[in-house]
Amino acid sequence: MEFAYIPSPSRGVLHLGPIPLRGYAFCIIIGVFVAVWLGNKRWVARGGRPGTVADIAVWAVPFGLVGGRLYHVVTDYQLYFSEGQDWVDAFKIWEGGLGIWGAIALGAVGAWIGCRRRGIPLPAWADALAPGIALAQAIGRWGNWFNQELYGRETDLPWALHITSVTDGREPGYYHPTFLYESLWCIGVAVLVIWADRRFKLGHGRAFALYVAAYCVGRFWIEYMRVDEAHHFLGLRLNGWTSIVVFLLAVLYIVLSARSRPGREEVVEPNAPDDDTDEDGAAVDLDKKSEDEKSGDEKSGDDTEAEAVDADSAEEKKKTKAETKAETTAEASEEAEAADKADDKVEEKDEAGSAKKS
């Protein structure tokens, strides 16, 4: 009896008129946007300029898509170049088939070109983008769910994936949802890298190397569960061997880098804004503008107050001058009156003398 399972979509593409909308492509696109968004936040926090991650991603993403497709086609060449197969299908990337190893390798070449053009160190940029890449993989794996591909062995677990398609030799049934296992594992890797980077201040590419090593651990056991066709060496799938080799190289890089270049880069991008600048690079300008407006208001207030003081001083001077003039006029009047009295006394004296002589 069927109790619970994860249903598969009846189809992985919707047609909007002549335009096909494919679930696989949407998952890849959304993953890229999430990686760039988170990478930008981490890059700005490290002292870089907003937008630099997106500028370099313009180089890294196309290279990564080409590299991922090349790795898939080369390692599964029988799907495209064996008898009865159409080699043109090798270019139909929307039907699925991207190898993460090739995507990272060739994507790094594109990122190196972009970093070189901007004059910034590739390891620092890779450290900022590392958890975002893990989240992009977590989202991108759901594209396999839309295509009903890359599932594991049969199981009766309640979270079994119900495969209904019979295309390309598929057999309907209930299988381990390895796409879901890897998606959840990649989310855990992103969380691990963010925590370790904050705790240990990883730099010089060590955060990226940690992401690679942690992903390889999960990919190894998930790869062991898959039942899709693949090349085997010594009883192990090719991607299993790749996981082992890449894991060892990543761990070796972490050890050697920590010894030769401990700590974290102090400057990740020349001429980047100061730490006071926020993530959109506008905080300092806004604060400065506010301070200028405040200073202008204060200056205007001071000028108004000064004008008021000057007006009061002028009025006081005018009043004082008027009072002084009035006092002067009064004194002049008193002096004139005293002179008149003196003249009257002189005249009276002269008249008295004249009368005496007579």
Side-chain angles (χ1 to χ4, degrees), residues 157-177:
L157 293 172
W159 57 83
L161 176 64
H162 187 198
I163 296 297
T164 59
S165 175
V166 295
T167 307
D168 296 331
R170 297 185 181 92
E171 295 183 6
Y174 301 88
Y175 301 88
H176 277 284

Side-chain angles (χ1 to χ4, degrees), residues 52-75:
T52 297
V53 169
D55 292 342
I56 298 175
V58 171
W59 289 90
V61 171
F63 274 76
L65 291 175
V66 172
R69 188 61 175 176
L70 282 175
Y71 181 88
H72 168 73
V73 172
V74 170
T75 56

Side-chain angles (χ1 to χ4, degrees), residues 233-261:
F233 295 97
L234 300 177
L236 192 64
R237 292 166 64 99
L238 174 60
N239 283 329
W241 286 109
T242 305
S243 298
I244 294 174
V245 174
V246 175
F247 170 81
L248 294 175
L249 291 175
V251 172
L252 181 63
Y253 178 86
I254 293 175
V255 174
L256 296 179
S257 175
R259 291 180 179 177
S260 61
R261 294 180 295 178

